[in-house]
Amino acid sequence: MNQKTSFNAKLLMVAVASVFLVACKSTPVTPAKVEDKSPAGASTGADSGADTGAIKEVAIDSSANSAGNSALKDPNNILSKRNIYFDYDSDAVKAEYRPIIEAHAKYMQANADAKMILQGNTDERGTREYNLSLGQRRAVAVKNSLNLLGVKDSQIETVSYGEEKATQNCAGDSCDKDRRVDIVHQGD
Amino acid sequence: MKLNQFNLVKSLFFGAIFFFNAIAHAALEIEITGGGAQQIPIAIVPFGGAPFGGAANTKDNISEIIAADLNRSGLFRVLETRGMANLPTSPAQIKYAEWTALQAQAVTVGSVQSVGGKLKVSFHLMDALKQTQLAGMDYQISPHQVRTTAHKIADIIYQKMTGQTGLFASRIAYITKTGKRYALQVADADGYNPQTVVSSNEPIISPAWSPDGSKLAYVSFEKKKPIVYVQSLTSGSRQVLANYKGNNSAPAWSPDGSKLAIVLTYGANSQIYTVSSGGGDLKQITKSTAIDTEPIFSPDGSQIYFSSDRGGKPQIYKVPASGGSPSRVTFEGGYNVSPRFSPDGKSLAYIRNDGGAFKVALQDLASGQVQILSEGNQDESPSFAPNGRVILYATKVGGRGALAAVSSDGKVRQRLKDSSGGDVREPAWGPLAK
């Protein structure tokens, strides 16, 4: 990841304001006397963050990781299967995914230095932060299955994308693909 | 949109059309879809001085900005001034009978003058019946501060005429998704002057303003996992606030800005922690095997409210901000999440799943009474205006993310459309400008 700070000169507007409140209470019909106290009051924009001052933009360019272990990439190897799907509102790992989880468990045990990330996902229904937590619960469910098969906690990180990768405006079956855990190996 | 539910006052509608020219350049266009039952008739006479009260180096027209703000609140009926024989620019020039004939309760007059490279803005708010001054202000500003100054004047008018603190001179933060690019943006509360704070090809969620409005905390997935950052708006410097194993999310500032509540998971479910605003001093606040997330401090800083499924379905709970035993806050409805405090601490907005439709609910904490305020099916992220009178939230319009706002009494509705065609979400309303 490269972090690039771009600077837009057009946006550099240092707030220099002197603002004076005059005669707020009711006064006779004659115009209020307007006082100018600016020489003492001019100040530079130390608090311009709360004003409509300039904002410095930060642009993040993510770079793809390099290729990893070929067994993990081989489409004929079960290790290339990386998605565990869940029922609606459920974090139960279904029996049909046991062969995939067993294969990854075997790989992790054979490669003691290998690390994996389990990324939980939800469909878009519900609020983003709550879905982040629901996705996490699914990632933890897969981690627990891997733990039972002998994979150490130190090799696994569970994270969640919540609904961030979900299909927009999903309906019926298209929501089913959103409720899943993605298995990501280090170097993928 | 249910226009017929509300008494859309004709003149308000024409007023809004009149100002469409003025808002055509905004990235977020604001459409009013309802009005308050009682609207204060007010004349905002065009400011004298530089062309139309604008100024060299700026297209901004002070009286139009003020009028647009007041119209948008739904609490005012801004009277048409075109065609009037006399357009006063100082209180002495006002012929009050002409304005009271239009039912004006108040008249504002003002002028803009160039003084060196600066602008001198004078403004008077006059009671049309008593013919007395309600407020008078004199500002010396730089040309780029015209809009902010107009919003501050609108806030003074709002405060004098309604008795409530204003809200116009403030900013909103929100996330846009355009193509594959995510951006955290900040704009004036009227949608003008949008500026990108940070942009990324990975998701950005959960922006949270520091109490002084100088920084935003947010969650970025740029490293393929949620990490909490704090970024200064003026310098652009960003700091990792929390990057622990697992998820780091849901930042919420304490009212004094000294710490933030965050959610961490390590290898298990979401739990609430506090961390000092400079990072470090990590303290675990909730300890459960359930989901505990979406923390928010009460305005007095003593409590943290949060959503949790510890009782089966998600509900809102509270816990002392220093830790302790949680107690349940919401009992009605099977799914209540995303709590947000009104600035006075008297009510709580949150999202309720109402038979499969997610809507903004507002609960009076003393009486426990709940009102459903929003009309969408996928409404999220409620956020109070700094004066507590309006709640901004995320909704969907035609399958796309958009922002909407509703007055806390449910009577005035606005929709903010992004003219760039992207998705808009995750709004957070910042504090009033000083």
Side-chain angles (χ1 to χ4, degrees):
Chain A
M1 195 260 333
N2 298 316
Q3 184 178 316
K4 222 169 51 184
T5 306
S6 76
F7 173 74
N8 189 339
K10 197 173 67 185
L11 296 179
L12 182 71
M13 300 179 289
V14 178
V16 183
S18 31
V19 173
F20 305 99
L21 182 60
V22 180
C24 265
K25 63 183 183 227
S26 294
T27 50
V29 75
T30 44
K33 194 179 167 203
V34 173
E35 292 173 18
D36 185 352
K37 296 172 186 167
S38 59
S43 62
T44 47
D47 66 348
S48 62
D51 207 327
T52 54
I55 286 171
K56 259 227 173 140
E57 180 180 343
V58 175
I60 295 152
D61 300 321
S62 44
S63 53
N65 289 316
S66 56
N69 186 304
S70 60
L72 297 168
K73 295 273 162 83
D74 178 359
N76 296 316
N77 193 314
I78 191 170
L79 290 172
S80 68
K81 294 195 191 306
R82 303 298 186 84
N83 311 119
I84 313 291
Y85 295 97
F86 291 80
D87 287 336
Y88 178 68
D89 204 19
S90 168
D91 63 352
V93 180
K94 293 193 272 190
E96 63 192 275
Y97 298 107
R98 189 160 179 90
I100 298 175
I101 290 171
E102 281 175 349
H104 286 279
K106 203 177 277 180
Y107 174 85
M108 295 306 286
Q109 286 180 296
N111 298 275
D113 294 337
K115 291 198 161 46
M116 72 195 309
I117 297 174
L118 303 172
Q119 297 175 340
N121 294 275
T122 69
D123 65 39
E124 67 169 348
R125 289 171 287 185
T127 66
R128 288 176 190 279
E129 280 287 355
Y130 201 79
N131 279 339
L132 195 70
S133 295
L134 285 175
Q136 173 66 15
R137 174 173 274 164
R138 287 180 180 147
V140 169
V142 174
K143 180 184 86 82
N144 290 342
S145 300
L146 288 161
N147 286 153
L148 287 172
L149 294 165
V151 184
K152 290 176 296 198
D153 261 356
S154 58
Q155 288 181 283
I156 309 172
E157 181 166 13
T158 51
V159 302
S160 177
Y161 271 76
E163 66 179 90
E164 301 309 317
K165 291 178 171 178
T167 318
Q168 292 287 293
N169 309 307
C170 76
D173 290 352
S174 71
C175 303
D176 296 351
K177 294 283 179 200
D178 292 334
R179 297 188 300 268
R180 66 176 194 277
V181 168
D182 296 331
I183 300 170
V184 179
H185 285 275
Q186 194 175 42
D188 273 356
Chain B
M1 180 166 77
K2 291 180 185 170
L3 271 174
N4 52 359
Q5 263 194 353
F6 298 93
N7 185 13
L8 185 68
V9 178
K10 239 184 192 171
S11 56
L12 170 68
F13 186 65
F14 288 125
I17 287 174
F18 178 67
F19 291 107
F20 272 0
N21 272 343
I23 64 173
H25 308 291
L28 286 175
E29 291 180 11
I30 296 174
E31 180 188 2
I32 304 162
T33 59
Q38 290 209 322
Q39 294 178 319
I40 300 164
I42 187 168
I44 312 292
V45 182
F47 278 34
F52 311 108
N57 310 326
T58 170
K59 298 188 295 288
D60 301 324
N61 181 313
I62 288 193
S63 52
E64 284 187 9
I65 298 164
I66 296 168
D69 279 348
L70 298 178
N71 262 332
R72 200 160 12 86
S73 74
L75 302 180
F76 292 84
R77 183 158 62 86
V78 177
L79 301 169
E80 182 59 80
T81 57
R82 283 181 300 182
M84 296 294 286
N86 297 304
L87 291 175
T89 59
S90 69
Q93 297 169 354
I94 300 174
K95 293 180 173 155
Y96 286 98
E98 294 178 358
W99 300 103
T100 52
L102 300 175
Q103 270 88 48
Q105 285 182 22
V107 180
T108 66
V109 293
S111 63
V112 181
Q113 263 134 30
S114 285
V115 182
K118 298 263 179 186
L119 298 175
K120 187 183 168 194
V121 178
S122 294
F123 141 79
H124 302 269
L125 172 65
M126 308 301 294
D127 185 316
L129 296 168
K130 292 181 189 157
Q131 305 187 7
T132 54
Q133 174 161 305
L134 298 169
M137 298 282 286
D138 196 18
Y139 301 83
Q140 191 170 324
I141 59 167
S142 298
H144 75 263
Q145 295 174 306
V146 168
R147 295 201 70 88
T148 306
T149 306
H151 294 315
K152 287 179 177 177
I153 291 172
D155 277 333
I156 293 165
I157 297 169
Y158 183 102
Q159 194 261 322
K160 289 288 165 191
M161 302 305 293
T162 70
Q164 307 279 347
T165 311
L167 71 168
F168 304 118
S170 58
R171 297 197 287 187
I172 55 174
Y174 51 90
I175 309 290
T176 59
K177 189 187 179 196
T178 312
K180 288 188 170 174
R181 194 77 179 162
Y182 297 82
L184 167 56
Q185 299 201 311
V186 166
D188 295 352
D190 63 353
Y192 268 85
N193 195 24
Q195 298 179 70
T196 299
V197 175
V198 60
S199 60
S200 171
N201 288 330
E202 296 291 336
I204 303 168
I205 63 170
S206 306
W209 289 92
S210 64
D212 68 359
S214 69
K215 297 188 193 93
L216 281 170
Y218 57 87
V219 176
S220 169
F221 289 75
E222 68 202 56
K223 294 193 173 155
K224 311 289 183 191
K225 59 176 278 188
I227 294 171
V228 181
Y229 294 84
V230 171
Q231 186 168 330
S232 158
L233 293 181
T234 44
S235 72
S237 68
R238 60 202 298 260
Q239 170 208 344
V240 173
L241 184 79
N243 180 12
Y244 297 96
K245 188 174 182 180
N247 301 333
N248 305 260
S249 71
W253 297 81
S254 65
D256 65 2
S258 68
K259 58 186 172 183
L260 291 94
I262 54 172
V263 168
L264 304 177
T265 58
Y266 294 101
N269 277 331
S270 299
Q271 295 292 295
I272 293 161
Y273 294 73
T274 55
V275 61
S276 82
S277 59
D281 197 19
L282 191 66
K283 186 171 184 219
Q284 186 167 0
I285 302 299
T286 62
K287 285 173 186 162
S288 76
T289 54
I291 288 172
D292 292 337
T293 188
E294 301 185 310
I296 193 93
F297 281 88
S298 59
D300 67 2
S302 70
Q303 305 284 314
I304 292 173
Y305 282 53
F306 62 100
S307 53
S308 173
D309 69 346
R310 57 183 61 213
K313 294 287 182 189
Q315 294 290 349
I316 293 161
Y317 293 76
K318 64 177 176 180
V319 64
S322 52
S325 9
S327 54
R328 192 167 159 177
V329 175
T330 55
F331 293 91
E332 232 180 82
Y335 180 109
N336 296 305
V337 297
S338 302
R340 292 289 185 277
F341 260 99
S342 64
D344 65 7
K346 289 181 179 165
S347 48
L348 197 68
Y350 50 83
I351 298 299
R352 167 169 296 178
N353 180 349
D354 193 11
F358 296 85
K359 294 182 190 295
V360 177
L362 185 65
Q363 179 167 334
D364 181 275
L365 287 171
S367 70
Q369 202 177 353
V370 181
Q371 190 187 357
I372 303 293
L373 289 180
S374 73
E375 300 174 320
N377 290 325
Q378 285 176 273
D379 299 340
E380 293 186 29
S381 307
S383 177
F384 278 94
N387 70 353
R389 307 297 293 176
V390 182
I391 299 167
L392 181 66
Y393 59 96
T395 188
K396 282 219 166 173
V397 179
R400 263 182 35 203
L403 304 185
V406 58
S407 60
S408 52
D409 62 6
K411 285 181 177 153
V412 184
R413 290 169 191 282
Q414 301 165 11
R415 191 183 292 159
L416 291 76
K417 293 185 296 185
D418 184 16
S419 54
S420 73
D423 229 41
V424 195
R425 51 175 74 154
E426 301 277 280
W429 206 320
L432 268 187
K434 291 181 188 92

